[in-house]
């Protein structure tokens, strides 16, 4: 089925071809006609399914209708991260530059000075792609108004809520006109996301694309038992032994990102850290270096890594386990994309065994625990206590007593003293 059968005007069909869209993906085939009809839409599809073009093409077609008077924001795309805002914005600009009518497209994110963005909004904008916090900052500075928005897109809605943007989204929705078209895209639908969708959408068309078994990414999932103080040494061993050309390593904190990257650098492995407190310029440079293979290893926190799309990434390592089963899915999905194979490795220490068991249960997985020669764990896992989950899908085990925590700390200190420290 070609794009010309979906109701797009010829100039947009040509634009799609020029930027490399050959034939529509399932999410595009289902969403584009519905959006062109003016319906609200609920799109359920995984990252990499082509959902950006699914809303960008019909959005641009709607923008070709001239707007009388001053240029005002008519389409708003909300995304969770700076990186995703940049990717979505550049994709829309690439399509728009082939159109007969010039459109002004603004990308608004934090991490950079607000002044150039305020200057860029002089004279208005047709389409705004923004992270919620920076958008509110600019509204409060009277740099733009949302009273003329006719199309609202929430992209990666689960990530928006998981990153704590619920209050900001509520403030933004209150500033929008009641009559508008709403497009809602999410890879997962926990209760909070479902509630937002139900409150936002009016008789939506639902387009749900599930990966077929033959289309599912070929990701080999491994779990390696290792004591926490030996993880960096094991990571170095795997990088060299497996000859990974590039690897994305997930950690829990900004300190861990910098610490692990520094240790790898000292061992002759080109590594860089990525976390939310870096400036936008630094983040952009680190990502560019990783994509260009000037860095072999990128050590990142979840917040910084969301929205990253790396072509031909052979391996992902969960140095620290993700908070939830949903985050586990998002993490390992960075490899094995576009028909490529990949491997996702999780380091499972004694104190993380119960947490990983719950991830396995929720994902319908049973991953054997491997032991690598020379890195066999000395710590024993605590007896398993079935944990309960919070409303966001996170994991909460039984609360440990102060005495239990002291025992665990003493055991870790003893193991660290007996082996090499990171």
């Amino acid at each position: 089925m070609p794009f010309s059968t979906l109701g797009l005007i010829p100039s947009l069909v040509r634009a799609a071809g020029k930027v490399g869209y050959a034939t529509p993906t399932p999410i595009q085939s289902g969403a584009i006609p519905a959006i062109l009809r003016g319906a609200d839409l609920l799109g359920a599809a995984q990252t990499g399914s082509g959902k950006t073009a699914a809303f960008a093409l019909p959005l641009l077609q709607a923008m070709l209708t001239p707007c009388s008077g001053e240029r005002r924001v008519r389409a708003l795309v909300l995304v969770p991260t700076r990186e995703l805002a940049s990717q979505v914005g550049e994709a829309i600009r690439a399509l728009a530059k082939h159109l007969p009518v010039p459109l002004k497209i603004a990308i608004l994110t934090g991490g950079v000075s607000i002044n150039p963005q305020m200057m860029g909004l002089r004279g208005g904008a047709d389409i705004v792609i923004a992270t919620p916090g920076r958008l509110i900052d600019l509204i409060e500075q009277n740099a733009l108004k949302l009273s003329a928005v006719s199309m609202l897109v929430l992209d990666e809605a689960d990530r928006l809520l998981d990153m704590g943007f619920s209050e900001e989204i509520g403030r933004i929705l209150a500033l929008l006109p009641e009559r508008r078209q709403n497009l809602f895209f999410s890879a997962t639908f926990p209760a909070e996301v479902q509630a937002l969708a139900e409150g936002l959408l009016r008789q939506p068309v639902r387009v749900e694309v599930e990966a077929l078994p033959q289309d599912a990414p070929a990701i080999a999932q491994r779990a390696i038992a290792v004591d926490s103080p030996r993880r960096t040494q094991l990571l170095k061993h795997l990088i060299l032994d497996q000859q990974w050309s590039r690897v994305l390593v997930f950690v829990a904190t900004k300190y861990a990102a910098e610490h692990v990257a520094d240790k790898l650098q000292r061992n002759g492995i080109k590594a860089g850290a990525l976390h939310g407190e870096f400036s936008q310029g630094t983040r952009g440079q680190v990502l560019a270096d990783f994509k260009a293979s000037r860095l072999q290893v990128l050590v990142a926190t979840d917040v910084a890594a969301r929205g990253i799309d790396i072509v031909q990434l052979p391996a992902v390592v969960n140095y620290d386990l993700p908070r939830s089963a949903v985050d586990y899915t998002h993490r390992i999905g960075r490899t094995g994309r576009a028909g490529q194979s990949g491997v996702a490795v999780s380091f499972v220490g004694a104190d993380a065994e119960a947490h990983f068991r719950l991830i396995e249960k929720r994902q319908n997985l049973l991953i054997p625990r491997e032991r690598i020669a020379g890195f066999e764990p000395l710590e024993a896992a605590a007896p398993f206590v079935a944990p309960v989950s919070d409303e966001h899908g996170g994991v909460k085990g039984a609360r440990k007593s102060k005495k239990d925590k002291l025992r665990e700390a003493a055991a870790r200190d003893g193991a660290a003293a007996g082996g090499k420290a990171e």
Side-chain angles (χ1 to χ4, degrees), residues 311-385:
V311 178
Q312 295 181 338
L313 178 65
V316 168
V317 173
N318 290 315
Y319 185 97
D320 291 314
L321 292 182
R323 175 180 174 273
S324 70
V326 170
D327 285 339
Y328 179 83
T329 300
H330 280 280
R331 283 186 181 188
I332 71 170
R334 301 299 170 189
T335 188
R337 310 187 83 168
Q340 301 290 320
S341 60
V343 61
V345 178
S346 297
F347 292 163
V348 184
D351 57 347
E353 177 62 32
H355 183 79
F356 195 69
R357 287 189 196 179
L358 184 61
I359 290 174
E360 287 180 302
K361 180 179 179 181
R362 290 186 174 165
Q363 297 294 327
N364 247 349
L365 298 171
L366 184 59
I367 304 173
R369 305 298 186 266
E370 302 176 35
R371 292 171 178 255
I372 304 298
F375 297 93
E376 296 89 347
L378 300 176
E379 299 176 4
F384 178 69
V385 178

Side-chain angles (χ1 to χ4, degrees), residues 187-206:
T188 61
F189 285 84
E192 189 178 13
V193 174
Q194 189 66 40
L196 177 61
E198 290 174 357
L200 180 69
L201 304 174
R202 301 176 180 86
Q203 298 181 324
V205 172
R206 185 181 181 101

Side-chain angles (χ1 to χ4, degrees), residues 11-28:
S11 58
L12 273 172
V13 173
R14 290 192 295 270
K18 287 179 179 179
V19 300
Y21 296 125
T23 56
T25 65
I27 188 68
Q28 292 161 4

Side-chain angles (χ1 to χ4, degrees), residues 90-369:
E90 293 308 318
I92 294 176
R93 282 175 174 169
L95 290 166
K97 71 180 182 181
H98 299 289
L99 300 179
V101 176
L103 295 174
K104 186 173 179 181
I105 300 165
I107 303 173
L108 311 175
T109 69
V112 295
S113 172
I114 197 171
N115 293 326
Q117 294 179 1
M118 292 179 66
M119 296 289 290
L121 287 169
R122 288 187 176 179
D126 297 294
I127 302 169
V128 165
I129 302 97
T131 53
R134 178 48 59 95
L135 180 64
I136 289 176
D137 290 342
L138 287 161
I139 291 171
E140 291 177 344
Q141 296 284 341
N142 293 317
L144 79 165
K145 297 183 184 298
L146 304 181
S147 57
V149 170
S150 59
M151 295 184 73
L152 170 68
V153 181
L154 264 62
D155 193 13
E156 295 202 6
D158 51 353
R159 301 291 90 196
L160 280 165
L161 294 184
D162 192 47
M163 291 176 66
F165 286 125
S166 179
E167 181 180 345
E168 288 86 347
I169 291 172
R171 290 178 62 185
I172 292 166
L173 293 178
L175 298 173
L176 296 172
E178 186 174 346
R179 292 180 60 84
R180 64 178 187 272
Q181 186 177 14
N182 301 293
L183 312 178
F184 190 102
F185 292 87
S186 187
T188 61
F189 285 84
E192 189 178 13
V193 174
Q194 189 66 40
L196 177 61
E198 290 174 357
L200 180 69
L201 304 174
R202 301 176 180 86
Q203 298 181 324
V205 172
R206 185 181 181 101
V207 180
E208 187 168 1
V209 179
E210 296 183 5
L212 298 174
Q214 64 267 29
D215 296 330
I219 302 174
Q221 299 180 55
R222 300 174 60 188
I224 301 177
V226 59
D227 293 336
S228 293
R230 305 294 308 281
R231 288 175 298 172
T232 302
Q233 297 168 38
L234 176 57
L235 176 61
K236 175 193 170 186
H237 169 79
L238 290 173
I239 292 168
L240 299 177
D241 182 67
Q242 301 294 313
Q243 298 183 334
W244 291 327
S245 58
R246 284 185 299 181
V247 55
L248 176 58
V249 179
F250 284 100
V251 294
T253 66
K254 64 174 184 176
Y255 170 79
E258 295 180 1
H259 177 71
V260 174
D262 180 64
K263 288 291 185 181
L264 293 174
Q265 284 276 17
R266 293 184 187 182
N267 282 275
I269 296 173
K270 294 181 179 179
L274 186 71
H275 58 69
E277 293 197 12
F278 281 155
S279 69
Q280 184 63 25
T282 299
R283 290 167 70 159
Q285 185 59 58
V286 171
L287 275 174
D289 288 342
F290 187 56
K291 289 181 178 180
S293 295
R294 291 187 289 270
L295 291 175
Q296 185 180 3
V297 183
L298 182 63
V299 188
T301 59
D302 281 303
V303 170
R306 283 166 187 159
I308 293 178
D309 188 5
I310 307 294
V311 178
Q312 295 181 338
L313 178 65
V316 168
V317 173
N318 290 315
Y319 185 97
D320 291 314
L321 292 182
R323 175 180 174 273
S324 70
V326 170
D327 285 339
Y328 179 83
T329 300
H330 280 280
R331 283 186 181 188
I332 71 170
R334 301 299 170 189
T335 188
R337 310 187 83 168
Q340 301 290 320
S341 60
V343 61
V345 178
S346 297
F347 292 163
V348 184
D351 57 347
E353 177 62 32
H355 183 79
F356 195 69
R357 287 189 196 179
L358 184 61
I359 290 174
E360 287 180 302
K361 180 179 179 181
R362 290 186 174 165
Q363 297 294 327
N364 247 349
L365 298 171
L366 184 59
I367 304 173
R369 305 298 186 266

Side-chain angles (χ1 to χ4, degrees), residues 37 42 272 371:
R37 293 197 305 270
L42 179 63
R371 292 171 178 255

